[in-house]
Short mmCIF file of all heavy atoms in Angstrom, two decimals:
data_model
loop_
_atom_site.label_atom_id
_atom_site.label_comp_id
_atom_site.label_asym_id
_atom_site.label_seq_id
_atom_site.Cartn_x
_atom_site.Cartn_y
_atom_site.Cartn_z
N LYS A 1247 3.10 6.49 -11.18
CA LYS A 1247 3.99 6.66 -10.07
C LYS A 1247 3.78 5.49 -9.13
O LYS A 1247 2.64 5.15 -8.80
CB LYS A 1247 3.71 7.97 -9.39
CG LYS A 1247 4.54 8.23 -8.16
CD LYS A 1247 4.13 9.58 -7.52
CE LYS A 1247 4.89 9.82 -6.24
NZ LYS A 1247 4.49 11.05 -5.59
N THR A 1248 4.85 4.88 -8.65
CA THR A 1248 4.76 3.77 -7.72
C THR A 1248 5.51 4.09 -6.42
O THR A 1248 6.64 4.54 -6.50
CB THR A 1248 5.33 2.48 -8.33
OG1 THR A 1248 4.64 2.19 -9.59
CG2 THR A 1248 5.17 1.28 -7.42
N ILE A 1249 4.84 3.89 -5.32
CA ILE A 1249 5.42 4.10 -3.98
C ILE A 1249 5.57 2.72 -3.35
O ILE A 1249 4.55 2.03 -3.17
CB ILE A 1249 4.54 5.02 -3.12
CG1 ILE A 1249 4.36 6.39 -3.79
CG2 ILE A 1249 5.17 5.21 -1.74
CD1 ILE A 1249 3.07 6.52 -4.49
N PHE A 1250 6.77 2.33 -3.02
CA PHE A 1250 7.02 1.03 -2.38
C PHE A 1250 7.02 1.17 -0.86
O PHE A 1250 7.64 2.11 -0.35
CB PHE A 1250 8.32 0.43 -2.89
CG PHE A 1250 8.31 0.09 -4.35
CD1 PHE A 1250 8.75 0.97 -5.27
CD2 PHE A 1250 7.83 -1.16 -4.74
CE1 PHE A 1250 8.72 0.65 -6.65
CE2 PHE A 1250 7.79 -1.47 -6.11
CZ PHE A 1250 8.21 -0.59 -7.03
N GLN A 1251 6.34 0.27 -0.20
CA GLN A 1251 6.29 0.22 1.26
C GLN A 1251 6.06 1.64 1.85
O GLN A 1251 6.90 2.14 2.58
CB GLN A 1251 7.53 -0.43 1.87
CG GLN A 1251 7.62 -1.88 1.43
CD GLN A 1251 8.89 -2.59 1.92
OE1 GLN A 1251 9.91 -1.95 2.15
NE2 GLN A 1251 8.80 -3.86 2.09
N PRO A 1252 4.94 2.22 1.51
CA PRO A 1252 4.67 3.63 1.96
C PRO A 1252 4.54 3.69 3.47
O PRO A 1252 4.11 2.76 4.13
CB PRO A 1252 3.34 3.95 1.30
CG PRO A 1252 2.69 2.64 1.07
CD PRO A 1252 3.79 1.66 0.77
N GLN A 1253 5.00 4.82 4.02
CA GLN A 1253 4.88 5.05 5.42
C GLN A 1253 3.43 5.47 5.72
O GLN A 1253 2.75 5.96 4.86
CB GLN A 1253 5.84 6.19 5.80
CG GLN A 1253 7.29 5.79 5.62
CD GLN A 1253 8.25 6.91 5.95
OE1 GLN A 1253 7.86 8.09 6.04
NE2 GLN A 1253 9.51 6.60 6.17
N PHE A 1254 2.97 5.24 7.00
CA PHE A 1254 1.68 5.62 7.40
C PHE A 1254 1.73 6.05 8.85
O PHE A 1254 2.71 5.78 9.56
CB PHE A 1254 0.68 4.48 7.22
CG PHE A 1254 1.06 3.24 7.95
CD1 PHE A 1254 0.62 3.04 9.24
CD2 PHE A 1254 1.82 2.28 7.35
CE1 PHE A 1254 0.94 1.90 9.94
CE2 PHE A 1254 2.21 1.14 8.06
CZ PHE A 1254 1.73 0.95 9.37
N THR A 1255 0.68 6.74 9.28
CA THR A 1255 0.66 7.25 10.67
C THR A 1255 0.04 6.27 11.64
O THR A 1255 0.56 6.06 12.76
CB THR A 1255 -0.12 8.57 10.74
OG1 THR A 1255 0.55 9.50 9.85
CG2 THR A 1255 -0.15 9.14 12.10
N ALA A 1256 -1.04 5.61 11.28
CA ALA A 1256 -1.73 4.72 12.22
C ALA A 1256 -2.46 3.61 11.49
O ALA A 1256 -2.84 3.77 10.29
CB ALA A 1256 -2.72 5.55 13.05
N THR A 1257 -2.63 2.45 12.19
CA THR A 1257 -3.41 1.34 11.65
C THR A 1257 -3.98 0.56 12.82
O THR A 1257 -3.48 0.58 13.90
CB THR A 1257 -2.56 0.43 10.78
OG1 THR A 1257 -3.42 -0.57 10.21
CG2 THR A 1257 -1.46 -0.25 11.56
N ASN A 1258 -5.10 -0.07 12.56
CA ASN A 1258 -5.67 -0.99 13.55
C ASN A 1258 -5.50 -2.45 13.02
O ASN A 1258 -6.10 -3.37 13.55
CB ASN A 1258 -7.15 -0.72 13.78
CG ASN A 1258 -8.02 -1.02 12.61
OD1 ASN A 1258 -7.55 -1.21 11.51
ND2 ASN A 1258 -9.33 -1.07 12.84
N ALA A 1259 -4.70 -2.61 12.00
CA ALA A 1259 -4.50 -3.90 11.34
C ALA A 1259 -3.05 -4.26 11.21
O ALA A 1259 -2.47 -4.15 10.10
CB ALA A 1259 -5.18 -3.86 9.99
N PRO A 1260 -2.37 -4.68 12.27
CA PRO A 1260 -0.92 -4.96 12.19
C PRO A 1260 -0.62 -6.13 11.22
O PRO A 1260 0.52 -6.25 10.75
CB PRO A 1260 -0.53 -5.27 13.62
CG PRO A 1260 -1.80 -5.62 14.33
CD PRO A 1260 -2.91 -4.89 13.63
N LYS A 1261 -1.57 -7.00 10.92
CA LYS A 1261 -1.33 -8.12 10.05
C LYS A 1261 -1.46 -7.74 8.60
O LYS A 1261 -1.05 -8.50 7.72
CB LYS A 1261 -2.31 -9.27 10.34
CG LYS A 1261 -2.11 -9.86 11.72
CD LYS A 1261 -3.11 -10.98 11.94
CE LYS A 1261 -2.93 -11.57 13.35
NZ LYS A 1261 -3.91 -12.66 13.60
N LEU A 1262 -1.99 -6.56 8.33
CA LEU A 1262 -2.20 -6.10 6.94
C LEU A 1262 -1.17 -4.99 6.65
O LEU A 1262 -1.16 -3.98 7.27
CB LEU A 1262 -3.64 -5.52 6.79
CG LEU A 1262 -4.02 -5.07 5.38
CD1 LEU A 1262 -4.22 -6.27 4.49
CD2 LEU A 1262 -5.31 -4.26 5.49
N THR A 1263 -0.36 -5.26 5.58
CA THR A 1263 0.62 -4.25 5.21
C THR A 1263 0.36 -3.82 3.77
O THR A 1263 -0.16 -4.62 2.97
CB THR A 1263 2.09 -4.74 5.39
OG1 THR A 1263 2.27 -5.89 4.56
CG2 THR A 1263 2.40 -5.08 6.81
N ILE A 1264 0.78 -2.63 3.43
CA ILE A 1264 0.70 -2.16 2.06
C ILE A 1264 2.10 -2.27 1.46
O ILE A 1264 3.04 -1.59 1.94
CB ILE A 1264 0.19 -0.72 2.03
CG1 ILE A 1264 -1.23 -0.67 2.58
CG2 ILE A 1264 0.25 -0.17 0.62
CD1 ILE A 1264 -1.86 0.71 2.69
N GLU A 1265 2.21 -3.10 0.47
CA GLU A 1265 3.49 -3.37 -0.19
C GLU A 1265 3.85 -2.24 -1.15
O GLU A 1265 5.02 -1.84 -1.27
CB GLU A 1265 3.49 -4.69 -0.90
CG GLU A 1265 3.32 -5.90 0.02
CD GLU A 1265 4.51 -6.02 0.98
OE1 GLU A 1265 5.59 -6.29 0.49
OE2 GLU A 1265 4.29 -5.86 2.19
N LYS A 1266 2.87 -1.78 -1.88
CA LYS A 1266 3.10 -0.68 -2.84
C LYS A 1266 1.76 -0.05 -3.27
O LYS A 1266 0.72 -0.70 -3.12
CB LYS A 1266 3.94 -1.09 -4.03
CG LYS A 1266 3.25 -2.04 -4.98
CD LYS A 1266 4.20 -2.36 -6.16
CE LYS A 1266 3.54 -3.35 -7.12
NZ LYS A 1266 4.40 -3.66 -8.26
N ILE A 1267 1.87 1.13 -3.80
CA ILE A 1267 0.73 1.85 -4.34
C ILE A 1267 1.12 2.32 -5.74
O ILE A 1267 2.16 2.96 -5.90
CB ILE A 1267 0.30 3.03 -3.52
CG1 ILE A 1267 -0.08 2.56 -2.09
CG2 ILE A 1267 -0.86 3.77 -4.13
CD1 ILE A 1267 -0.34 3.68 -1.11
N ALA A 1268 0.33 2.00 -6.74
CA ALA A 1268 0.56 2.45 -8.11
C ALA A 1268 -0.49 3.55 -8.44
O ALA A 1268 -1.70 3.24 -8.41
CB ALA A 1268 0.49 1.29 -9.08
N LEU A 1269 -0.01 4.74 -8.77
CA LEU A 1269 -0.90 5.84 -9.09
C LEU A 1269 -0.81 6.15 -10.58
O LEU A 1269 0.29 6.22 -11.15
CB LEU A 1269 -0.51 7.09 -8.30
CG LEU A 1269 -0.44 6.98 -6.80
CD1 LEU A 1269 0.21 8.20 -6.20
CD2 LEU A 1269 -1.79 6.78 -6.24
N SER A 1270 -1.94 6.31 -11.21
CA SER A 1270 -1.97 6.76 -12.61
C SER A 1270 -3.11 7.77 -12.76
O SER A 1270 -3.87 7.98 -11.78
CB SER A 1270 -2.13 5.60 -13.58
OG SER A 1270 -3.45 5.11 -13.57
N ASP A 1271 -3.25 8.30 -13.94
CA ASP A 1271 -4.36 9.26 -14.12
C ASP A 1271 -5.71 8.57 -14.32
O ASP A 1271 -6.72 9.20 -14.36
CB ASP A 1271 -4.05 10.19 -15.29
CG ASP A 1271 -3.76 9.45 -16.59
OD1 ASP A 1271 -3.64 8.23 -16.54
OD2 ASP A 1271 -3.68 10.09 -17.64
N THR A 1272 -5.69 7.21 -14.37
CA THR A 1272 -6.95 6.50 -14.56
C THR A 1272 -7.34 5.66 -13.37
O THR A 1272 -8.50 5.27 -13.25
CB THR A 1272 -6.87 5.60 -15.82
OG1 THR A 1272 -5.81 4.70 -15.65
CG2 THR A 1272 -6.68 6.44 -17.08
N ALA A 1273 -6.40 5.27 -12.49
CA ALA A 1273 -6.71 4.36 -11.39
C ALA A 1273 -5.63 4.46 -10.29
O ALA A 1273 -4.54 4.99 -10.51
CB ALA A 1273 -6.79 2.95 -11.87
N THR A 1274 -6.02 3.99 -9.15
CA THR A 1274 -5.09 3.84 -8.02
C THR A 1274 -5.12 2.36 -7.62
O THR A 1274 -6.21 1.80 -7.40
CB THR A 1274 -5.56 4.67 -6.81
OG1 THR A 1274 -5.57 6.06 -7.21
CG2 THR A 1274 -4.58 4.52 -5.61
N GLN A 1275 -3.99 1.70 -7.59
CA GLN A 1275 -3.93 0.30 -7.22
C GLN A 1275 -3.09 0.12 -6.00
O GLN A 1275 -1.98 0.63 -5.88
CB GLN A 1275 -3.37 -0.54 -8.38
CG GLN A 1275 -3.62 -2.04 -8.14
CD GLN A 1275 -3.35 -2.83 -9.42
OE1 GLN A 1275 -2.79 -2.36 -10.40
NE2 GLN A 1275 -3.77 -4.08 -9.38
N VAL A 1276 -3.68 -0.53 -5.00
CA VAL A 1276 -2.98 -0.78 -3.70
C VAL A 1276 -2.69 -2.27 -3.61
O VAL A 1276 -3.62 -3.10 -3.72
CB VAL A 1276 -3.86 -0.28 -2.55
CG1 VAL A 1276 -3.12 -0.49 -1.20
CG2 VAL A 1276 -4.28 1.18 -2.70
N PHE A 1277 -1.43 -2.57 -3.35
CA PHE A 1277 -1.00 -3.97 -3.24
C PHE A 1277 -0.80 -4.28 -1.74
O PHE A 1277 -0.01 -3.62 -1.04
CB PHE A 1277 0.30 -4.19 -3.98
CG PHE A 1277 0.16 -4.00 -5.45
CD1 PHE A 1277 0.14 -2.75 -6.04
CD2 PHE A 1277 0.02 -5.08 -6.28
CE1 PHE A 1277 0.02 -2.54 -7.38
CE2 PHE A 1277 -0.13 -4.93 -7.64
CZ PHE A 1277 -0.15 -3.68 -8.23
N PHE A 1278 -1.50 -5.28 -1.26
CA PHE A 1278 -1.50 -5.63 0.16
C PHE A 1278 -0.78 -6.97 0.40
O PHE A 1278 -0.75 -7.82 -0.47
CB PHE A 1278 -2.93 -5.81 0.66
CG PHE A 1278 -3.77 -4.55 0.68
CD1 PHE A 1278 -4.62 -4.23 -0.39
CD2 PHE A 1278 -3.72 -3.70 1.76
CE1 PHE A 1278 -5.39 -3.12 -0.36
CE2 PHE A 1278 -4.53 -2.56 1.79
CZ PHE A 1278 -5.35 -2.24 0.74
N LYS A 1279 -0.40 -7.11 1.66
CA LYS A 1279 0.08 -8.43 2.15
C LYS A 1279 -0.53 -8.65 3.50
O LYS A 1279 -0.46 -7.76 4.38
CB LYS A 1279 1.61 -8.51 2.26
CG LYS A 1279 2.09 -9.85 2.82
CD LYS A 1279 3.56 -10.15 2.66
CE LYS A 1279 4.51 -9.20 3.20
NZ LYS A 1279 5.90 -9.69 3.22
N TYR A 1280 -1.22 -9.76 3.69
CA TYR A 1280 -1.81 -10.13 4.94
C TYR A 1280 -0.95 -11.27 5.51
O TYR A 1280 -0.76 -12.26 4.88
CB TYR A 1280 -3.27 -10.60 4.80
CG TYR A 1280 -3.95 -10.85 6.11
CD1 TYR A 1280 -4.54 -9.82 6.81
CD2 TYR A 1280 -4.03 -12.14 6.61
CE1 TYR A 1280 -5.19 -10.07 8.01
CE2 TYR A 1280 -4.64 -12.39 7.83
CZ TYR A 1280 -5.22 -11.37 8.54
OH TYR A 1280 -5.84 -11.60 9.74
#
């Protein structure tokens, strides 16, 4: 399952964004952009 540009409630890192999250039964991969 892939979630593109997931919403979030709070961050202390405005320069760091999460582009997508890939979920599988073996791993979770988070794709960032700084």
Side-chain angles (χ1 to χ4, degrees):
K1247 176 181 177 184
T1248 304
I1249 301 99
F1250 294 93
Q1251 297 177 331
Q1253 297 177 342
F1254 59 90
T1255 300
T1257 184
N1258 69 346
K1261 294 179 181 181
L1262 183 71
T1263 59
I1264 297 176
E1265 296 296 296
K1266 69 180 177 178
I1267 299 173
L1269 304 170
S1270 74
D1271 56 351
T1272 58
T1274 301
Q1275 192 166 13
V1276 182
F1277 295 82
F1278 294 95
K1279 178 165 56 171
Y1280 185 84

